[in-house]
Amino acid sequence: MPGNIRSVSFAWMVLVYLLFCSRRASVGAAPICANAQAGCHVLSLANLFDRVIQHSARTHSISNDLHSEFEQYFLPSKNHIGRVSRNCHTSSILTPNGKDNAQRMAREELTEVILKLLVAWRDPLWHFHQNMAHHHDFNNFSSNKALEMSDMVHELRKGVEKVAEKMQVLGIISNTVSSLASPEASLPSDSAEWRLMKDYNLLSCFRRDSNKVQNYLKILKCRIVPEHGC
Amino acid sequence: MTVLSSSSNLLLLLLMSSLDWLSTPGSAFFMGRHRVMSPAPLEPHITDCISRDQATFQCWWSPGNFHNLSSPGALRLFYIKKDSPASEWKECPEYVHSNQECFFDNAHTSIWIPYCMQLRSQNNITYYNEEDCFTVENIVRPDPPVSLNWTLLNISPSGLNYDVMVNWEAPPSADVGAGWMRIEYEIQYKAINTTKWEALEMQPQTQQTIFGLHIGKEYEVHIRCRMQAFTKFGEFSDSIFIQVTEVPINEYTFPLTLVLVFGIVGILLLGMLIVISQQHRLMMILLPPVPAPKIKGIDPELLKKGKLDELNLILSGGGMGGLPTYATNFYQDEPCVEFIEVAVEDADTGEKEDNQGSDTQKLLDLSQPVSQHMNIGFSNVVSFPDDDSGRASCYDPDLPDQDTLLLMATLLPGQPEVGKRAMAAERGARPLVHTQTEGPQTWVNTDFYAQVSNVMPTGGVVLSPGQQLRIQESTSGAEEETQKKEKEHTGGEDSEEDKEKELQFQLLVVDCEGGRYAAEGNAWQIGGPHSAPMPGEGYQTIFPQPAETTPAATAEGSQSPYILPDSPQSQFFARVADYTVVQEVDSQHSLLLNPPPRQSPPPCLPQHPLKALPAMPVGYITPDLLGNLSP
């Protein structure tokens, strides 16, 4: 009898764990049902866009907070944009630098750019968080923020991939975007450039890039599904 | 590796702090609020660069203390866009010399790319500060929102506070439609005579509610906005003024509520007054009094439980010589008292009550004088004597009980008016039958035997008219009893009265002592434990009085109707018309209608008095009963 109870409780725990993990994993990305299966909640493209835009806004907000905190505590009253910004590791990714440019860009290209950016930041943020955790001068609040930021970028990337899928299903964009999903296409993650970046530099770079992602997503949404809150 | 990074961080820190110390005072551009006013000569510098729509921007410069450079064209602005390592300095694309401003249009504006500004004079002196570098998204200050107005939401019930909904529109220069700029707004308000502004929470919607403004005060409201997740606010909009004066409607509602309150209180008071004044009536309607048993002339205390012996004593006349004829009225103050009257003729009778006599009166359908007496008695019976008993009943006294009348009608077929009266009358529960005292006096000397012509299945007897015979008190008692029982059953009287009546109208079928009636005490007792009469008991045997009545019996006087002055036998035989009851079968198997007196009276068994003779129909004896008749 105790063996039975133990096995049953173990099975329960496994179930709960699986449920919890699957729940946690699906926070950022909304599940898309390919054939409108039963029990699958079909989301519209506008909904998906809203979700990823909210996510990117949150990401940018966190990065901004961290950056200003960093600036306040470590480098007060200094403006080092001119000095450090050219060392961003994502500088090699070609991004539209203005509203007109972004609006003129093709949807597929824009989506590609977004995904490239998100892919590029996955590893550096993870290591940034590791650095922050080991530094005793950072409080737990900042460390948690760094972790959250890292997770959010991860989720955001998945979300944008889902959006791209949906757009491809709906025929809005061509199928050239899907090639980015493979890890070989990720650009500078294997380069050692980002390892040389300092924390502040990294933060300012990421702050800029998260703002880019947010803007691009919003432009994309207002081009494709402009009826909902543009 | 981490140690290395931390040490490099420290080095960087030291370097930067040293640089900060070496910084020139001209770099006031990005210092924010700490504008250093150094005594050193102020060289030309960039005062501010602002973008309104994140698509264009402007920069302003100042010549500083070098007033010779203040003329337009003396200073030239150069910028560099650091989007590639091979970028170079370019001159301002559009000068606005009146403002000492340089305007960068869409073509020359790139977001997320660092710009650096520098001023050059005519003689190629460069005034450049490393810190005058920025990216355009960081210098965005949106224009203030437009079309600010307010609407009244509600006023608090107390009439002192109110809520206001403020709404506006996004600045037209900010391209929120395309999603290029996401703006959040901040409302600030204050009362006009105060200095401190209250700021509401920043939010991206174009409307917001201000709660808790005071009636009568005037408020000033303005708004500003900024890009989400950025730090630089735009300018404040023009202020609007909000004021709500007192609402006069309260004056109308106040007297209305007052009137309502007073009205309700008045109605409540009136209701209470009515209830209190009509308390007794209400009590009578809601809880009518239940009449308790009251016997005229008997102290109501004796009617309580446990005082049966005294009651017996009084009723049998033993205590005070019987009940006084004119009994003291114990119930003077209760006008609606219904009495059970125990009729007592004289003090010395002490015998059976005269109710039986009056009841036999009822049973008889005699000749005229008798019927007259009967009528009298009957009428007396029917109309309750109000000689001394006051108001006899709360109910209609002129209408006798329907059931009683019916019974009388059946018993006395020669009394048509009884029937009429029976039909006419409709009574409720009748608690008692009144007796009267003078009836039996006149009646006792007349014939008191009547022949039973028929017996009803219910137990009542039908007397044949014109008979001189009187029924014995046993029969009358039986009839009486059945009648009473019927009345009792129909009337639904309580057990106490039942018991009383049983005592009064007790069957004495068994003539234990040879025609002599037992003493009053015994009489009652014998009849005490008496069960309900069976239908067969209606056919009581008639035991005529034996000839040799004891002198004592005769000495009892002519009051008792059960003592015949002369031999009853001859009378008996002379009067029997159709029926007679076989009393005994003697040894010669001849039927004896009048049994010889017994030598020894059989012990009086207090139980069933018909033990000696089984119930049989009148005038008939079945063969199997014949055997029982043998002595």
Side-chain angles (χ1 to χ4, degrees), chain B residues 240-538:
Chain B
I240 58 167
F241 296 92
I242 296 176
Q243 189 176 23
V244 175
T245 52
E246 299 206 7
V247 181
I249 297 176
N250 283 341
E251 296 170 4
Y252 290 111
T253 57
F254 177 67
L256 194 67
T257 50
L258 208 65
V259 163
L260 215 65
V261 163
F262 274 116
I264 289 171
V265 167
I267 287 170
L268 277 172
L269 278 172
L270 204 66
M272 278 173 61
L273 270 170
I274 288 171
V275 165
I276 289 169
S277 65
Q278 302 287 333
Q279 208 175 24
H280 294 291
R281 264 217 193 156
L282 281 175
M283 287 302 289
M284 284 293 286
I285 292 168
L286 292 172
L287 305 169
V290 176
K294 299 175 177 68
I295 301 181
K296 178 181 167 196
I298 293 183
D299 192 357
E301 281 300 310
L302 291 176
L303 293 176
K304 294 194 179 164
K305 188 176 173 179
K307 302 201 175 114
L308 194 59
D309 295 333
E310 292 128 350
L311 193 61
N312 279 346
L313 213 60
I314 290 174
L315 286 174
S316 58
M320 309 172 303
L323 287 173
T325 307
Y326 295 88
T328 57
N329 196 358
F330 283 99
Y331 306 98
Q332 299 160 17
D333 48 354
E334 296 182 44
C336 292
V337 169
E338 302 187 355
F339 284 112
I340 301 166
E341 278 197 356
V342 178
V344 178
E345 309 158 354
D346 283 329
D348 57 345
T349 51
E351 291 278 334
K352 315 229 186 259
E353 302 305 326
D354 288 332
N355 347 4
Q356 293 209 4
S358 59
D359 286 330
T360 46
Q361 262 187 330
K362 290 183 237 166
L363 293 172
L364 293 177
D365 186 359
L366 303 171
S367 55
Q368 195 57 28
V370 179
S371 55
Q372 277 178 358
H373 290 292
M374 193 49 228
N375 274 338
I376 291 167
F378 184 78
S379 61
N380 280 339
V381 166
V382 172
S383 63
F384 298 113
D386 52 351
D387 46 359
D388 57 347
S389 63
R391 191 83 187 110
S393 161
C394 292
Y395 304 100
D396 189 358
D398 295 326
L399 303 172
D401 188 20
Q402 175 78 346
D403 298 322
T404 313
L405 288 174
L406 272 174
L407 197 58
M408 292 177 194
T410 52
L411 291 171
L412 309 161
Q415 297 277 340
E417 54 266 40
V418 178
K420 279 190 203 152
R421 269 196 240 192
M423 297 311 147
E426 184 70 32
R427 285 283 291 271
R430 282 251 331 186
L432 47 89
V433 171
H434 282 233
T435 60
Q436 39 99 33
T437 53
E438 63 241 6
Q441 309 269 359
T442 56
W443 178 82
V444 84
N445 295 321
T446 57
D447 297 334
F448 50 84
Y449 283 106
Q451 184 193 356
V452 177
S453 61
N454 202 359
V455 180
M456 295 170 56
T458 51
V461 294
V462 179
L463 303 174
S464 50
Q467 290 304 317
Q468 302 294 326
L469 278 180
R470 312 235 182 264
I471 325 170
Q472 285 192 355
E473 68 276 10
S474 58
T475 317
S476 70
E479 293 161 358
E480 196 61 43
E481 197 173 15
T482 52
Q483 185 188 3
K484 278 289 173 276
K485 284 286 188 281
E486 276 198 57
K487 273 194 271 182
E488 284 160 30
H489 290 319
T490 52
E493 293 144 342
D494 54 349
S495 57
E496 204 171 356
E497 284 186 35
D498 274 352
K499 206 160 182 244
E500 267 185 62
K501 287 191 181 108
E502 285 186 27
L503 290 171
Q504 293 167 4
F505 313 115
Q506 190 39 58
L507 258 188
L508 275 186
V509 178
V510 175
D511 189 11
C512 300
E513 297 175 1
R516 178 191 184 160
Y517 294 99
E520 46 273 15
N522 294 342
W524 300 119
Q525 279 148 19
I526 284 172
H530 184 75
S531 55
M534 299 188 312
E537 287 184 3

Side-chain angles (χ1 to χ4, degrees), chain B residues 150-194:
Chain B
W150 65 278
T151 52
L152 180 66
L153 269 185
N154 53 26
I155 300 179
S156 69
S158 62
L160 298 174
N161 298 318
Y162 61 98
D163 303 333
V164 157
M165 172 74 83
V166 188
N167 47 46
W168 57 89
E169 286 172 14
S173 58
D175 193 3
V176 288
W180 184 238
M181 283 171 71
R182 289 154 308 283
I183 297 179
E184 51 189 18
Y185 305 93
E186 190 192 42
I187 288 258
Q188 289 184 4
Y189 70 96
K190 72 175 178 73
I192 50 175
N193 49 4
T194 56

Side-chain angles (χ1 to χ4, degrees), chain A:
Chain A
M1 202 47 72
N4 269 352
I5 292 170
R6 201 180 293 174
S7 59
V8 164
S9 60
F10 180 70
W12 265 111
M13 279 176 61
V14 166
L15 264 173
V16 166
Y17 179 71
L18 283 173
L19 266 168
F20 182 74
C21 278
S22 65
R23 261 178 159 255
R24 198 167 170 275
S26 64
V27 162
I32 296 184
C33 307
N35 302 319
Q37 300 145 7
C40 195
H41 185 51
V42 178
L43 285 170
S44 66
L45 191 62
N47 255 335
L48 282 171
F49 262 117
D50 283 336
R51 289 185 186 205
V52 294
I53 286 167
Q54 269 179 29
H55 223 103
S56 66
R58 175 106 181 104
T59 310
H60 175 63
S61 164
I62 295 176
S63 72
N64 195 36
D65 291 341
L66 269 176
H67 179 262
S68 56
E69 214 176 283
F70 211 101
E71 208 173 40
Q72 186 183 358
Y73 286 123
F74 292 94
L75 303 160
S77 68
K78 285 286 182 272
N79 183 19
H80 302 275
I81 291 180
R83 193 179 305 150
V84 299
S85 61
R86 63 182 100 145
N87 293 337
C88 281
H89 74 290
T90 52
S91 307
S92 54
I93 303 172
L94 285 172
T95 57
N97 290 322
K99 180 172 77 171
D100 300 332
N101 290 345
Q103 281 176 340
R104 274 188 236 123
M105 205 180 217
R107 297 169 193 170
E108 294 87 351
E109 280 183 52
L110 202 53
T111 315
E112 265 189 50
V113 162
I114 294 168
L115 282 170
K116 275 183 193 172
L117 283 170
L118 289 171
V119 165
W121 275 105
R122 190 184 57 190
D123 286 335
L125 282 177
W126 169 248
H127 286 276
F128 173 71
H129 160 65
Q130 294 292 315
N131 282 344
M132 294 256 309
H134 291 309
H135 284 178
H136 297 291
D137 27 5
F138 286 106
N139 53 6
N140 287 337
F141 190 56
S142 305
S143 175
N144 289 340
K145 273 193 182 170
L147 180 61
E148 194 182 347
M149 206 161 64
S150 169
D151 287 341
M152 280 183 132
V153 165
H154 187 63
E155 301 290 339
L156 190 58
R157 181 180 144 242
K158 281 201 247 173
V160 174
E161 278 172 1
K162 289 285 192 314
V163 170
E165 274 178 39
K166 180 108 183 164
M167 285 199 291
Q168 281 168 11
V169 162
L170 292 174
I172 296 170
I173 59 176
S174 61
N175 293 342
T176 57
V177 189
S178 59
S179 60
L180 281 176
S182 56
E184 290 82 54
S186 65
L187 287 163
S189 60
D190 51 346
S191 68
E193 265 190 43
W194 59 267
R195 293 180 194 277
L196 301 173
M197 268 200 297
K198 303 298 180 282
D199 289 340
Y200 178 73
N201 198 17
L202 186 141
L203 279 174
S204 55
C205 282
F206 181 66
R207 183 163 160 261
R208 186 193 71 179
D209 284 344
S210 61
N211 194 24
K212 275 190 188 177
V213 165
Q214 190 183 9
N215 271 16
Y216 295 156
L217 280 171
K218 192 81 182 189
I219 285 174
L220 208 57
K221 187 215 166 183
C222 290
R223 269 164 71 181
I224 293 172
V225 279
E227 55 269 6
H228 302 280
C230 258

